[in-house]
Amino acid sequence: MSTEQPANVDRDLVDFAIVGEWMAGQGLTGGDFENVQPIGGGTQNILLRFTRGGRDYVLRRPPKHLRAKSNEVLRRESRLLEALNDTDVPAPRLIAACTDESVLGGAVFYLMEPVDGFSPATGLPELHSSNAEVRHGMGLSAAAGLAQLGAVDYEKIGLADYGKPEGFLERQVPRWLGELESYSSNAGYPGPEIPGVDRVADWLERNRPTEWRPGILHGDCHLANMMFRNDGPELAALVDWEMSTIGDPLLDLGWLIATWPDGSVVGGSLVGALNAAGGLPTPKELIAHYGERSDRDLSAMDWYTVLACFKLGIVLEGTHARVFAGKAPKPVGDMLHTLTLHLFERAAALAV
């Protein structure tokens, strides 16, 4: 077994001698670690692709400087992906997970199969950039993938205790208003200057659906967290499952609509090339396509879209608040605050 450390990887980040020994214990392929390359994906965790013994792997671990819940988030994510392995949900296929943080210097990690596809956050292949019909199909395929996820019997695949669905919708507004209020602990933050917060919150409370059915929720479901096939419009995988839980899957569809590339600054910030190219389905087409593959009641999709705008806007405002305390770069915080304002504008337009 080779223990040679790849020159382009910090040993403190991933010690390949340790990973190799652990892989041997899992009965995985041995040999040299070849073609080791960092790959993009998310801002919280680290991804490395490599080949060993003729098999391709992607290793995922938390950031070098662990946050309070970094390991727990990755443990949950690996558990979810393992449960999805035997479903038809387009997701990365888990190979093995090391949930013992003592193995790799304090960080848990897991290995998954590489996804054969591209992220629209990094640009579009020629086929997709030159063909509006293909781009239209990408949008429909995204909606179909969410319908597949929402149809999974989470209890049957061992995820009965993965979340707390009881009272999920009732918790949302107070939970996120509390989060927004907590930002005032950042020194110098003047408080949220977001027009419409109270009105949108009140509308959400007054119009909350009274009946819904729990299922797996991705939790951060926009096109930048999806990968598509290189040779067509089909969704290859939903990725970055850090915010997943058991909740109302229609919030994922609302999230997709809230962040949809319609030529606006929101879509441009996530998938610039796709936002500029256009040719995508309308939100009404997305809902209809989802509805053809689901027996869920879609009559309150405006409510789920408003909730997605509300929640995501508050999440993004957190970085803006941290700027004042010197905990985040000002250009990033300013940009995200702009997105928050646009999301609340979308919410206010629907909350009538």
Short mmCIF file of all heavy atoms in Angstrom, two decimals, residues 222-289:
data_model
loop_
_atom_site.label_atom_id
_atom_site.label_comp_id
_atom_site.label_asym_id
_atom_site.label_seq_id
_atom_site.Cartn_x
_atom_site.Cartn_y
_atom_site.Cartn_z
N HIS A 222 -31.42 24.57 -5.02
CA HIS A 222 -31.37 25.47 -6.18
C HIS A 222 -30.45 24.84 -7.22
O HIS A 222 -29.79 23.83 -6.96
CB HIS A 222 -30.90 26.87 -5.78
CG HIS A 222 -29.66 26.88 -4.94
ND1 HIS A 222 -28.41 26.57 -5.44
CD2 HIS A 222 -29.47 27.16 -3.62
CE1 HIS A 222 -27.51 26.67 -4.48
NE2 HIS A 222 -28.12 27.01 -3.36
N LEU A 223 -30.42 25.43 -8.40
CA LEU A 223 -29.70 24.80 -9.51
C LEU A 223 -28.20 24.69 -9.27
O LEU A 223 -27.55 23.81 -9.84
CB LEU A 223 -29.98 25.56 -10.81
CG LEU A 223 -31.38 25.37 -11.40
CD1 LEU A 223 -31.60 26.32 -12.57
CD2 LEU A 223 -31.60 23.93 -11.83
N ALA A 224 -27.63 25.57 -8.44
CA ALA A 224 -26.20 25.47 -8.16
C ALA A 224 -25.88 24.27 -7.28
O ALA A 224 -24.72 23.89 -7.15
CB ALA A 224 -25.71 26.76 -7.49
N ASN A 225 -26.90 23.67 -6.67
CA ASN A 225 -26.71 22.44 -5.89
C ASN A 225 -27.22 21.22 -6.65
O ASN A 225 -27.65 20.24 -6.05
CB ASN A 225 -27.42 22.55 -4.54
CG ASN A 225 -26.59 23.31 -3.53
OD1 ASN A 225 -25.38 23.48 -3.70
ND2 ASN A 225 -27.23 23.80 -2.47
N MET A 226 -27.17 21.31 -7.98
CA MET A 226 -27.53 20.19 -8.84
C MET A 226 -26.43 20.00 -9.87
O MET A 226 -25.73 20.94 -10.24
CB MET A 226 -28.86 20.45 -9.55
CG MET A 226 -30.04 20.62 -8.63
SD MET A 226 -31.59 20.84 -9.56
CE MET A 226 -32.74 21.07 -8.21
N MET A 227 -26.30 18.76 -10.34
CA MET A 227 -25.40 18.47 -11.45
C MET A 227 -26.20 17.81 -12.55
O MET A 227 -27.12 17.03 -12.28
CB MET A 227 -24.25 17.57 -10.99
CG MET A 227 -23.34 18.23 -9.97
SD MET A 227 -21.92 17.19 -9.48
CE MET A 227 -20.96 17.19 -11.00
N PHE A 228 -25.87 18.14 -13.79
CA PHE A 228 -26.60 17.65 -14.95
C PHE A 228 -25.66 16.86 -15.86
O PHE A 228 -24.44 17.08 -15.88
CB PHE A 228 -27.21 18.83 -15.71
CG PHE A 228 -28.30 19.53 -14.95
CD1 PHE A 228 -28.00 20.51 -14.02
CD2 PHE A 228 -29.63 19.18 -15.12
CE1 PHE A 228 -29.00 21.14 -13.28
CE2 PHE A 228 -30.64 19.80 -14.40
CZ PHE A 228 -30.33 20.78 -13.48
N ARG A 229 -26.25 15.95 -16.60
CA ARG A 229 -25.47 15.12 -17.51
C ARG A 229 -24.80 15.98 -18.58
O ARG A 229 -25.37 16.98 -19.04
CB ARG A 229 -26.36 14.08 -18.17
CG ARG A 229 -26.83 12.98 -17.23
CD ARG A 229 -27.76 12.02 -17.96
NE ARG A 229 -27.11 11.42 -19.13
CZ ARG A 229 -26.50 10.23 -19.13
NH1 ARG A 229 -26.46 9.52 -18.02
NH2 ARG A 229 -25.96 9.76 -20.22
N ASN A 230 -23.61 15.59 -18.99
CA ASN A 230 -22.88 16.31 -20.02
C ASN A 230 -23.49 16.12 -21.41
O ASN A 230 -23.31 16.97 -22.29
CB ASN A 230 -21.42 15.87 -20.05
CG ASN A 230 -20.66 16.28 -18.81
OD1 ASN A 230 -20.58 17.47 -18.49
ND2 ASN A 230 -20.11 15.32 -18.09
N ASP A 231 -24.21 15.00 -21.60
CA ASP A 231 -24.70 14.67 -22.94
C ASP A 231 -26.20 14.92 -23.11
O ASP A 231 -26.80 14.46 -24.08
CB ASP A 231 -24.39 13.20 -23.25
CG ASP A 231 -25.01 12.23 -22.25
OD1 ASP A 231 -25.64 12.70 -21.27
OD2 ASP A 231 -24.86 11.02 -22.44
N GLY A 232 -26.81 15.64 -22.17
CA GLY A 232 -28.23 15.91 -22.30
C GLY A 232 -28.75 16.73 -21.14
O GLY A 232 -27.98 17.18 -20.28
N PRO A 233 -30.06 16.94 -21.07
CA PRO A 233 -30.63 17.81 -20.04
C PRO A 233 -30.90 17.12 -18.71
O PRO A 233 -31.30 17.80 -17.75
CB PRO A 233 -31.95 18.24 -20.68
CG PRO A 233 -32.36 17.07 -21.52
CD PRO A 233 -31.06 16.50 -22.06
N GLU A 234 -30.68 15.82 -18.61
CA GLU A 234 -31.13 15.08 -17.43
C GLU A 234 -30.34 15.46 -16.18
O GLU A 234 -29.13 15.69 -16.23
CB GLU A 234 -30.99 13.57 -17.66
CG GLU A 234 -31.94 13.01 -18.70
CD GLU A 234 -31.45 13.23 -20.13
OE1 GLU A 234 -30.26 13.59 -20.30
OE2 GLU A 234 -32.24 13.04 -21.06
N LEU A 235 -31.05 15.51 -15.07
CA LEU A 235 -30.43 15.73 -13.76
C LEU A 235 -29.58 14.53 -13.40
O LEU A 235 -30.07 13.40 -13.37
CB LEU A 235 -31.53 15.95 -12.71
CG LEU A 235 -31.07 16.19 -11.27
CD1 LEU A 235 -30.30 17.50 -11.15
CD2 LEU A 235 -32.27 16.19 -10.33
N ALA A 236 -28.30 14.77 -13.11
CA ALA A 236 -27.40 13.68 -12.72
C ALA A 236 -27.40 13.46 -11.21
O ALA A 236 -27.33 12.32 -10.75
CB ALA A 236 -25.97 13.97 -13.19
N ALA A 237 -27.48 14.55 -10.43
CA ALA A 237 -27.48 14.39 -8.97
C ALA A 237 -27.85 15.68 -8.27
O ALA A 237 -27.46 16.78 -8.71
CB ALA A 237 -26.11 13.93 -8.48
N LEU A 238 -28.58 15.54 -7.19
CA LEU A 238 -28.73 16.60 -6.19
C LEU A 238 -27.53 16.49 -5.27
O LEU A 238 -27.22 15.39 -4.78
CB LEU A 238 -30.02 16.42 -5.39
CG LEU A 238 -31.34 16.51 -6.16
CD1 LEU A 238 -32.47 15.90 -5.35
CD2 LEU A 238 -31.65 17.96 -6.48
N VAL A 239 -26.84 17.59 -5.00
CA VAL A 239 -25.63 17.55 -4.18
C VAL A 239 -25.76 18.54 -3.02
O VAL A 239 -26.69 19.33 -2.96
CB VAL A 239 -24.38 17.86 -5.02
CG1 VAL A 239 -24.19 16.81 -6.12
CG2 VAL A 239 -24.44 19.26 -5.65
N ASP A 240 -24.79 18.47 -2.11
CA ASP A 240 -24.73 19.35 -0.94
C ASP A 240 -25.98 19.24 -0.08
O ASP A 240 -26.85 20.12 -0.08
CB ASP A 240 -24.48 20.81 -1.37
CG ASP A 240 -23.11 21.02 -1.97
OD1 ASP A 240 -22.24 20.14 -1.77
OD2 ASP A 240 -22.89 22.04 -2.64
N TRP A 241 -26.04 18.18 0.70
CA TRP A 241 -27.21 17.84 1.50
C TRP A 241 -27.10 18.30 2.94
O TRP A 241 -27.77 17.78 3.83
CB TRP A 241 -27.42 16.33 1.47
CG TRP A 241 -27.80 15.78 0.12
CD1 TRP A 241 -26.96 15.51 -0.93
CD2 TRP A 241 -29.12 15.43 -0.34
NE1 TRP A 241 -27.66 15.01 -2.00
CE2 TRP A 241 -29.00 14.94 -1.66
CE3 TRP A 241 -30.38 15.46 0.25
CZ2 TRP A 241 -30.09 14.50 -2.41
CZ3 TRP A 241 -31.48 15.02 -0.48
CH2 TRP A 241 -31.33 14.55 -1.80
N GLU A 242 -26.28 19.31 3.23
CA GLU A 242 -26.02 19.72 4.61
C GLU A 242 -27.27 20.15 5.36
O GLU A 242 -27.37 20.03 6.58
CB GLU A 242 -25.03 20.89 4.65
CG GLU A 242 -23.63 20.55 4.19
CD GLU A 242 -23.38 21.02 2.76
OE1 GLU A 242 -24.33 20.95 1.95
OE2 GLU A 242 -22.26 21.44 2.46
N MET A 243 -28.27 20.69 4.65
CA MET A 243 -29.47 21.22 5.31
C MET A 243 -30.64 20.24 5.25
O MET A 243 -31.78 20.61 5.53
CB MET A 243 -29.85 22.56 4.68
CG MET A 243 -28.82 23.64 4.92
SD MET A 243 -29.16 25.20 4.05
CE MET A 243 -30.65 25.76 4.90
N SER A 244 -30.37 19.00 4.90
CA SER A 244 -31.44 18.02 4.74
C SER A 244 -32.07 17.65 6.08
O SER A 244 -31.42 17.68 7.13
CB SER A 244 -30.92 16.76 4.05
OG SER A 244 -29.87 16.17 4.80
N THR A 245 -33.34 17.30 6.03
CA THR A 245 -34.08 16.86 7.21
C THR A 245 -35.35 16.16 6.76
O THR A 245 -35.54 15.93 5.56
CB THR A 245 -34.39 18.07 8.13
OG1 THR A 245 -34.92 17.59 9.38
CG2 THR A 245 -35.40 19.01 7.48
N ILE A 246 -36.20 15.83 7.71
CA ILE A 246 -37.54 15.37 7.38
C ILE A 246 -38.48 16.55 7.62
O ILE A 246 -38.56 17.08 8.73
CB ILE A 246 -37.97 14.16 8.24
CG1 ILE A 246 -36.94 13.03 8.10
CG2 ILE A 246 -39.36 13.69 7.83
CD1 ILE A 246 -36.73 12.54 6.67
N GLY A 247 -39.14 16.98 6.58
CA GLY A 247 -40.03 18.13 6.66
C GLY A 247 -41.05 18.06 5.55
O GLY A 247 -41.47 16.97 5.16
N ASP A 248 -41.40 19.20 5.02
CA ASP A 248 -42.36 19.25 3.91
C ASP A 248 -41.58 19.39 2.60
O ASP A 248 -40.98 20.44 2.34
CB ASP A 248 -43.30 20.44 4.09
CG ASP A 248 -44.47 20.41 3.11
OD1 ASP A 248 -44.32 19.80 2.03
OD2 ASP A 248 -45.51 21.00 3.41
N PRO A 249 -41.57 18.34 1.76
CA PRO A 249 -40.79 18.39 0.51
C PRO A 249 -41.21 19.52 -0.43
O PRO A 249 -40.43 19.89 -1.30
CB PRO A 249 -41.07 17.02 -0.12
CG PRO A 249 -41.42 16.14 1.02
CD PRO A 249 -42.18 17.02 1.97
N LEU A 250 -42.41 20.05 -0.27
CA LEU A 250 -42.82 21.14 -1.16
C LEU A 250 -42.01 22.41 -0.92
O LEU A 250 -41.96 23.28 -1.79
CB LEU A 250 -44.32 21.42 -1.02
CG LEU A 250 -45.24 20.31 -1.53
CD1 LEU A 250 -46.69 20.75 -1.44
CD2 LEU A 250 -44.89 19.92 -2.97
N LEU A 251 -41.35 22.50 0.22
CA LEU A 251 -40.46 23.64 0.43
C LEU A 251 -39.27 23.58 -0.52
O LEU A 251 -38.75 24.62 -0.94
CB LEU A 251 -39.98 23.68 1.89
CG LEU A 251 -39.07 24.84 2.28
CD1 LEU A 251 -39.67 26.19 1.91
CD2 LEU A 251 -38.73 24.78 3.77
N ASP A 252 -38.83 22.37 -0.90
CA ASP A 252 -37.76 22.26 -1.90
C ASP A 252 -38.22 22.82 -3.24
O ASP A 252 -37.46 23.53 -3.92
CB ASP A 252 -37.36 20.79 -2.08
CG ASP A 252 -36.32 20.32 -1.07
OD1 ASP A 252 -35.67 21.17 -0.44
OD2 ASP A 252 -36.16 19.09 -0.92
N LEU A 253 -39.43 22.52 -3.65
CA LEU A 253 -39.94 23.06 -4.90
C LEU A 253 -40.09 24.57 -4.80
O LEU A 253 -39.75 25.31 -5.74
CB LEU A 253 -41.28 22.40 -5.26
CG LEU A 253 -41.92 22.85 -6.58
CD1 LEU A 253 -40.99 22.63 -7.76
CD2 LEU A 253 -43.25 22.10 -6.79
N GLY A 254 -40.57 25.06 -3.67
CA GLY A 254 -40.65 26.50 -3.46
C GLY A 254 -39.28 27.16 -3.50
O GLY A 254 -39.11 28.25 -4.05
N TRP A 255 -38.28 26.49 -2.97
CA TRP A 255 -36.89 27.00 -2.95
C TRP A 255 -36.36 27.08 -4.39
O TRP A 255 -35.70 28.06 -4.75
CB TRP A 255 -36.04 26.05 -2.12
CG TRP A 255 -34.78 26.60 -1.53
CD1 TRP A 255 -33.57 26.73 -2.15
CD2 TRP A 255 -34.58 27.04 -0.18
NE1 TRP A 255 -32.63 27.23 -1.28
CE2 TRP A 255 -33.23 27.42 -0.06
CE3 TRP A 255 -35.42 27.15 0.94
CZ2 TRP A 255 -32.68 27.91 1.14
CZ3 TRP A 255 -34.87 27.62 2.13
CH2 TRP A 255 -33.53 27.99 2.22
N LEU A 256 -36.66 26.06 -5.17
CA LEU A 256 -36.22 26.07 -6.56
C LEU A 256 -36.83 27.25 -7.31
O LEU A 256 -36.15 27.95 -8.07
CB LEU A 256 -36.62 24.76 -7.24
CG LEU A 256 -36.13 24.54 -8.68
CD1 LEU A 256 -34.61 24.39 -8.71
CD2 LEU A 256 -36.80 23.31 -9.30
N ILE A 257 -38.12 27.50 -7.06
CA ILE A 257 -38.81 28.62 -7.72
C ILE A 257 -38.28 29.97 -7.20
O ILE A 257 -38.07 30.91 -7.98
CB ILE A 257 -40.33 28.51 -7.50
CG1 ILE A 257 -40.86 27.26 -8.20
CG2 ILE A 257 -41.06 29.75 -8.01
CD1 ILE A 257 -42.28 26.90 -7.83
N ALA A 258 -38.05 30.06 -5.90
CA ALA A 258 -37.57 31.31 -5.31
C ALA A 258 -36.23 31.73 -5.87
O ALA A 258 -35.92 32.92 -5.98
CB ALA A 258 -37.48 31.16 -3.79
N THR A 259 -35.40 30.76 -6.24
CA THR A 259 -34.04 31.04 -6.74
C THR A 259 -33.94 30.85 -8.25
O THR A 259 -32.83 30.82 -8.79
CB THR A 259 -33.03 30.10 -6.05
OG1 THR A 259 -33.42 28.73 -6.29
CG2 THR A 259 -33.00 30.34 -4.55
N TRP A 260 -35.08 30.75 -8.92
CA TRP A 260 -35.08 30.38 -10.33
C TRP A 260 -34.42 31.43 -11.20
O TRP A 260 -34.67 32.62 -11.05
CB TRP A 260 -36.53 30.15 -10.80
CG TRP A 260 -36.62 29.39 -12.09
CD1 TRP A 260 -37.18 29.82 -13.25
CD2 TRP A 260 -36.15 28.06 -12.34
NE1 TRP A 260 -37.08 28.84 -14.22
CE2 TRP A 260 -36.44 27.75 -13.68
CE3 TRP A 260 -35.50 27.10 -11.56
CZ2 TRP A 260 -36.12 26.53 -14.26
CZ3 TRP A 260 -35.17 25.89 -12.13
CH2 TRP A 260 -35.48 25.62 -13.46
N PRO A 261 -33.55 31.02 -12.15
CA PRO A 261 -32.88 31.97 -13.05
C PRO A 261 -33.87 32.59 -14.04
O PRO A 261 -34.22 31.97 -15.04
CB PRO A 261 -31.84 31.11 -13.77
CG PRO A 261 -31.73 29.85 -12.98
CD PRO A 261 -33.07 29.64 -12.37
N ASP A 262 -34.30 33.79 -13.76
CA ASP A 262 -35.26 34.48 -14.63
C ASP A 262 -34.68 35.78 -15.17
O ASP A 262 -35.41 36.70 -15.53
CB ASP A 262 -36.56 34.76 -13.86
CG ASP A 262 -36.32 35.59 -12.61
OD1 ASP A 262 -35.14 35.95 -12.33
OD2 ASP A 262 -37.30 35.91 -11.91
N GLY A 263 -33.34 35.84 -15.21
CA GLY A 263 -32.68 37.05 -15.67
C GLY A 263 -32.39 38.04 -14.56
O GLY A 263 -31.78 39.08 -14.80
N SER A 264 -32.81 37.72 -13.32
CA SER A 264 -32.64 38.64 -12.20
C SER A 264 -31.30 38.41 -11.50
O SER A 264 -30.57 37.48 -11.80
CB SER A 264 -33.78 38.46 -11.20
OG SER A 264 -33.63 37.22 -10.51
N VAL A 265 -31.02 39.28 -10.52
CA VAL A 265 -29.76 39.20 -9.79
C VAL A 265 -29.68 37.92 -8.96
O VAL A 265 -28.59 37.38 -8.75
CB VAL A 265 -29.58 40.44 -8.88
CG1 VAL A 265 -30.65 40.47 -7.78
CG2 VAL A 265 -28.20 40.48 -8.27
N VAL A 266 -30.82 37.39 -8.51
CA VAL A 266 -30.80 36.16 -7.71
C VAL A 266 -30.29 34.99 -8.54
O VAL A 266 -29.35 34.29 -8.16
CB VAL A 266 -32.20 35.85 -7.14
CG1 VAL A 266 -32.18 34.52 -6.39
CG2 VAL A 266 -32.66 36.96 -6.20
N GLY A 267 -30.90 34.78 -9.70
CA GLY A 267 -30.46 33.70 -10.57
C GLY A 267 -29.04 33.91 -11.06
O GLY A 267 -28.25 32.96 -11.18
N GLY A 268 -28.68 35.14 -11.35
CA GLY A 268 -27.35 35.44 -11.85
C GLY A 268 -26.26 35.14 -10.84
O GLY A 268 -25.14 34.75 -11.21
N SER A 269 -26.56 35.30 -9.57
CA SER A 269 -25.57 35.05 -8.53
C SER A 269 -25.29 33.57 -8.36
O SER A 269 -24.21 33.18 -7.91
CB SER A 269 -26.04 35.63 -7.20
OG SER A 269 -27.15 34.90 -6.70
N LEU A 270 -26.25 32.73 -8.72
CA LEU A 270 -26.11 31.29 -8.52
C LEU A 270 -25.60 30.58 -9.77
O LEU A 270 -24.70 29.75 -9.69
CB LEU A 270 -27.45 30.69 -8.10
CG LEU A 270 -27.98 31.12 -6.73
CD1 LEU A 270 -29.42 30.65 -6.56
CD2 LEU A 270 -27.11 30.53 -5.62
N VAL A 271 -26.21 30.86 -10.89
CA VAL A 271 -25.88 30.18 -12.14
C VAL A 271 -25.85 31.22 -13.25
O VAL A 271 -26.75 31.29 -14.09
CB VAL A 271 -26.89 29.04 -12.45
CG1 VAL A 271 -26.64 27.84 -11.56
CG2 VAL A 271 -28.33 29.50 -12.27
N GLY A 272 -24.80 32.01 -13.27
CA GLY A 272 -24.73 33.16 -14.15
C GLY A 272 -24.95 32.86 -15.62
O GLY A 272 -25.75 33.52 -16.29
N ALA A 273 -24.24 31.85 -16.14
CA ALA A 273 -24.35 31.54 -17.56
C ALA A 273 -25.75 31.07 -17.92
O ALA A 273 -26.31 31.45 -18.96
CB ALA A 273 -23.32 30.48 -17.95
N LEU A 274 -26.34 30.24 -17.08
CA LEU A 274 -27.68 29.74 -17.33
C LEU A 274 -28.71 30.85 -17.20
O LEU A 274 -29.67 30.94 -17.97
CB LEU A 274 -27.99 28.61 -16.35
CG LEU A 274 -29.27 27.79 -16.60
CD1 LEU A 274 -29.30 27.21 -18.00
CD2 LEU A 274 -29.38 26.68 -15.57
N ASN A 275 -28.50 31.72 -16.24
CA ASN A 275 -29.38 32.87 -16.05
C ASN A 275 -29.37 33.76 -17.29
O ASN A 275 -30.42 34.24 -17.74
CB ASN A 275 -28.93 33.65 -14.82
CG ASN A 275 -29.88 34.77 -14.44
OD1 ASN A 275 -31.05 34.55 -14.18
ND2 ASN A 275 -29.37 35.99 -14.41
N ALA A 276 -28.18 33.97 -17.85
CA ALA A 276 -28.06 34.83 -19.03
C ALA A 276 -28.60 34.15 -20.28
O ALA A 276 -29.18 34.81 -21.15
CB ALA A 276 -26.59 35.21 -19.23
N ALA A 277 -28.43 32.84 -20.38
CA ALA A 277 -28.84 32.12 -21.59
C ALA A 277 -30.35 32.02 -21.71
O ALA A 277 -30.92 32.07 -22.81
CB ALA A 277 -28.22 30.73 -21.61
N GLY A 278 -31.05 31.87 -20.58
CA GLY A 278 -32.51 31.78 -20.62
C GLY A 278 -32.98 30.47 -21.24
O GLY A 278 -32.26 29.48 -21.32
N GLY A 279 -34.23 30.49 -21.69
CA GLY A 279 -34.81 29.31 -22.31
C GLY A 279 -35.34 28.28 -21.33
O GLY A 279 -35.71 27.18 -21.71
N LEU A 280 -35.37 28.64 -20.05
CA LEU A 280 -35.80 27.70 -19.02
C LEU A 280 -37.33 27.68 -18.89
O LEU A 280 -38.01 28.62 -19.32
CB LEU A 280 -35.18 28.09 -17.68
CG LEU A 280 -33.66 27.90 -17.57
CD1 LEU A 280 -33.12 28.63 -16.36
CD2 LEU A 280 -33.33 26.41 -17.48
N PRO A 281 -37.88 26.64 -18.28
CA PRO A 281 -39.32 26.61 -18.04
C PRO A 281 -39.74 27.72 -17.09
O PRO A 281 -38.92 28.23 -16.29
CB PRO A 281 -39.55 25.24 -17.39
CG PRO A 281 -38.31 24.46 -17.60
CD PRO A 281 -37.20 25.44 -17.76
N THR A 282 -40.99 28.09 -17.14
CA THR A 282 -41.53 29.05 -16.17
C THR A 282 -41.82 28.32 -14.86
O THR A 282 -41.94 27.09 -14.83
CB THR A 282 -42.83 29.66 -16.68
OG1 THR A 282 -43.82 28.61 -16.79
CG2 THR A 282 -42.64 30.32 -18.05
N PRO A 283 -41.94 29.06 -13.75
CA PRO A 283 -42.34 28.41 -12.49
C PRO A 283 -43.63 27.62 -12.63
O PRO A 283 -43.76 26.54 -12.04
CB PRO A 283 -42.49 29.60 -11.53
CG PRO A 283 -41.48 30.59 -12.02
CD PRO A 283 -41.55 30.47 -13.52
N LYS A 284 -44.57 28.13 -13.42
CA LYS A 284 -45.83 27.40 -13.62
C LYS A 284 -45.57 26.05 -14.29
O LYS A 284 -46.17 25.03 -13.92
CB LYS A 284 -46.79 28.24 -14.47
CG LYS A 284 -48.17 27.62 -14.64
CD LYS A 284 -49.11 28.53 -15.43
CE LYS A 284 -49.43 29.79 -14.64
NZ LYS A 284 -50.46 30.61 -15.34
N GLU A 285 -44.64 26.01 -15.24
CA GLU A 285 -44.29 24.74 -15.89
C GLU A 285 -43.60 23.80 -14.92
O GLU A 285 -43.82 22.58 -14.95
CB GLU A 285 -43.38 25.00 -17.09
CG GLU A 285 -44.07 25.63 -18.28
CD GLU A 285 -43.09 25.90 -19.41
OE1 GLU A 285 -42.27 26.84 -19.29
OE2 GLU A 285 -43.13 25.16 -20.42
N LEU A 286 -42.75 24.34 -14.04
CA LEU A 286 -42.08 23.51 -13.04
C LEU A 286 -43.10 22.84 -12.13
O LEU A 286 -43.01 21.64 -11.84
CB LEU A 286 -41.12 24.36 -12.20
CG LEU A 286 -39.91 24.98 -12.90
CD1 LEU A 286 -39.14 25.84 -11.91
CD2 LEU A 286 -39.01 23.91 -13.49
N ILE A 287 -44.06 23.63 -11.67
CA ILE A 287 -45.09 23.09 -10.77
C ILE A 287 -45.91 22.02 -11.47
O ILE A 287 -46.19 20.96 -10.91
CB ILE A 287 -45.98 24.24 -10.25
CG1 ILE A 287 -45.16 25.19 -9.37
CG2 ILE A 287 -47.17 23.67 -9.46
CD1 ILE A 287 -45.87 26.48 -9.04
N ALA A 288 -46.28 22.29 -12.71
CA ALA A 288 -47.07 21.31 -13.46
C ALA A 288 -46.29 20.02 -13.67
O ALA A 288 -46.84 18.91 -13.55
CB ALA A 288 -47.50 21.90 -14.80
N HIS A 289 -45.00 20.14 -14.00
CA HIS A 289 -44.18 18.95 -14.24
C HIS A 289 -44.02 18.15 -12.96
O HIS A 289 -44.07 16.90 -12.98
CB HIS A 289 -42.81 19.39 -14.78
CG HIS A 289 -42.06 18.30 -15.49
ND1 HIS A 289 -42.43 17.79 -16.71
CD2 HIS A 289 -40.93 17.62 -15.13
CE1 HIS A 289 -41.59 16.86 -17.09
NE2 HIS A 289 -40.67 16.73 -16.14
#
